[in-house]
Amino acid sequence: MAKKERMSGNEAVAYGIKQVNPDVMPAFPITPSTEIPQFVSTMIANGEIDTEFIPVESEHSSMSAAMGSEAAGARTLTATSSAGLAFMWEVLYVAASSRLPICMTVVNRALTGPLNINADHSDSMGARDSGWLQIYAETNQEVYDNFLQAYRIAEHPDVRLPIMICQDGFITSHAVQNITLWDDEPIKQFVGEYNPEHYLLKHNEPMAVGPYAVSNYCMEAKRAQAEGMIKAKQVILDVAKEFEEVTGQKYGLFEAYDLEDAEYAMVAIGSICGGIKDAIDELREQGMKVGLLKIRVFRPFPAQEIAEALRNCKAVAILDRAEGYSSQGGPVGADVRAALCKYKVYAENVNILYGLSGRDTKVEELVEVYHQLEQLANGENPFDEYPYLGLRG
């Protein structure tokens, strides 16, 4: 039977890794994801799993080794954060274009500079267009459940793309929360074994991985890769439905919290959504119709679904935990605003930067944003031209 436990987000991911028992894990330590390879190497030493752990000299080497093992037909995992993810940059694109379904647990941490080790989304958001699937979690339960679904999504023959399972550094990765751990056997059956149709070391089927592509063929390869991303949306929903049948936990492309009749809504990713829900509960008691759209799947980006969910809102605040340096806001704001425009949703909207480099965001600040959205819908504009929430002086 499923059991109740208390775990940090990193522990929860490690428990999921134990249940999946991937073939290979190359990794290099970096705060705040270091615990994950530590936990895995300990489980290997204790004989709890038979994953081959590869200590490497850098994150670039980690992703290179992950590519090699996945290309050889081995289910592969790695973990990283921040500058570690940035150091992989070159190889991220190669892994995606080679259609290698590597799973990477990303514990989100600010990219420097200035040097900072706390949570924001600048690391994974910087890699949002590298061809990797991206799924984000609000809670420890969600990052555990997302990991358990990851290989089923990435390895699907319609997808065959690498996947990032993201959680907020320290906020969920090191904080202990109540969690339900699912039974091993149903999870093992759900995830299944990895039996790729084609791989580098397959007998009597020689193949090249990551070859040079001349101009006559490269564009077609990129389009085929894009098709995998397009088809991933339905695969994610199908896998989530099966996961619900096994566990009772329901997941989608996003979570709509009190959104059905909301006049004023926020769109956000990750752990901030817990505070937003508290603000919503407080304001709903006062009769204010407010809601939240919590994005779970950022790549592929569910543009039409998000636009339809926000269609009846009068005003929307899109929250970003990463600065886009476009002079217009952040990456979530750019994508959501484009979706609203494309699908002719005419709600007033504002893109707000919050929580950069671990800055706390208080529930009362979020309550005030909802009041400001009401003003915005009524023809006033209480927001700065380029709003940062909680910015000092």
Side-chain angles (χ1 to χ4, degrees), residues 45-278:
N46 292 340
E48 298 174 72
I49 56 176
D50 57 8
T51 302
E52 182 73 25
F53 186 85
I54 305 175
V56 292
E57 69 272 20
S58 74
E59 289 86 358
H60 189 285
S61 300
S62 174
M63 185 50 62
S64 298
M67 279 186 53
S69 62
E70 188 70 49
R75 181 177 273 166
T76 304
L77 167 79
T78 191
T80 196
S81 300
S82 185
L85 182 59
F87 199 13
M88 295 177 178
W89 227 255
E90 174 191 14
V91 205
L92 293 179
Y93 286 81
V94 184
S97 66
S98 299
R99 311 297 294 274
L100 299 173
I102 301 161
C103 182
M104 176 160 57
T105 64
V106 177
V107 184
N108 290 116
R109 168 190 144 184
L111 281 173
T112 54
L115 177 62
N116 183 278
I117 64 166
N118 296 303
D120 73 24
H121 297 155
S122 53
D123 50 2
S124 59
M125 284 296 167
R128 67 191 179 278
D129 297 331
S130 61
W132 284 62
L133 305 160
Q134 290 189 345
I135 300 183
Y136 290 78
E138 174 193 345
T139 65
N140 300 1
Q141 182 73 55
E142 288 181 12
V143 72
Y144 167 60
D145 291 345
N146 287 344
F147 177 79
L148 295 178
Q149 297 172 66
Y151 283 113
R152 285 288 310 277
I153 298 164
E155 293 169 357
H156 193 283
D158 287 346
V159 179
R160 289 196 301 245
L161 289 172
I163 186 168
M164 296 182 194
I165 300 302
C166 305
Q167 63 168 319
D168 288 353
F170 296 109
I171 299 172
T172 60
S173 67
H174 286 64
V176 174
Q177 297 178 356
N178 292 331
I179 187 172
T180 300
L181 300 174
W182 313 115
D183 290 344
D184 290 351
E185 198 52 41
I187 290 301
K188 289 182 184 299
Q189 291 179 13
F190 168 78
V191 177
E193 296 294 325
Y194 182 41
N195 296 302
E197 185 178 358
H198 306 286
Y199 53 93
L200 185 62
L201 302 182
K202 190 170 184 180
H203 183 57
N204 291 332
E205 190 183 79
M207 60 180 289
V209 176
Y212 178 76
V214 296
S215 300
N216 297 25
Y217 295 97
C218 193
M219 196 167 171
E220 284 71 23
K222 289 183 178 293
R223 177 61 193 185
Q225 181 183 340
E227 283 295 314
M229 186 66 73
I230 292 167
K231 292 177 180 177
K233 190 162 61 173
Q234 186 59 52
V235 171
I236 290 167
L237 293 173
D238 292 343
V239 170
K241 185 176 180 180
E242 287 188 49
F243 188 76
E244 184 182 3
E245 292 170 358
V246 174
T247 66
Q249 291 284 99
K250 186 177 181 65
Y251 289 98
L253 303 172
F254 55 81
E255 177 189 345
Y257 187 84
D258 280 345
L259 195 60
E260 188 171 340
D261 66 341
E263 296 177 341
Y264 316 107
M266 288 194 203
V267 179
I269 286 178
S271 60
I272 186 65
C273 295
I276 296 173
K277 290 174 181 177
D278 288 341

